[in-house]
Amino acid sequence: MEKTLVILDPALKSGYTNVPNVVLTTPSLSLEAKGLYIVLSMFRQKDCVIPDQQKITELTQYSRRMTGKLIRELKNKGYLSSLLVDGRERA
């Protein structure tokens, strides 16, 4: 029997973000870093333009310091090669 997902809420029809399961299941990656990865993936899939650190901070409710720390964590674990913000590589 074929099953179909029907989305009734208009807010949920705005799209979905695909995230590799390996990112979500890596025990050594913090939950906050996983969340940031999801947010960055949303932009990558949408239009390939990563917002500046201020916008990332607003979306995640993390401080600028925490955002930088999480970017470094993702880079150190190999899930992020670089992040260009305002034309410059950050973290």
Side-chain angles (χ1 to χ4, degrees):
M1 176 190 318
E2 186 176 320
K3 296 182 180 182
T4 303
L5 175 65
V6 178
I7 301 171
L8 300 176
D9 186 338
L12 297 176
K13 291 183 178 183
S14 64
Y16 292 88
T17 299
N18 294 318
V19 179
N21 288 337
V22 69
V23 173
L24 300 176
T25 59
T26 299
S28 62
L29 195 61
S30 71
L31 185 57
E32 292 85 0
K34 292 173 184 180
L36 181 59
Y37 186 91
I38 292 167
V39 170
L40 295 175
S41 294
M42 175 183 66
F43 287 97
R44 185 189 72 233
Q45 292 172 356
K46 203 173 190 181
D47 56 14
C48 297
V49 176
I50 301 294
D52 63 17
Q53 192 165 354
Q54 179 61 37
K55 182 65 174 175
I56 292 170
T57 300
E58 290 171 12
L59 289 170
T60 60
Q61 296 296 300
Y62 298 147
S63 67
R64 288 180 62 85
R65 183 176 178 187
M66 178 65 126
T67 301
K69 177 184 173 221
L70 296 174
I71 290 169
R72 285 188 298 279
E73 180 180 349
L74 289 168
K75 287 175 75 171
N76 290 340
K77 298 289 183 185
Y79 294 114
L80 187 64
S81 59
S82 66
L83 180 66
L84 293 177
V85 178
D86 300 330
R88 298 180 303 241
E89 185 172 337
R90 296 289 174 103

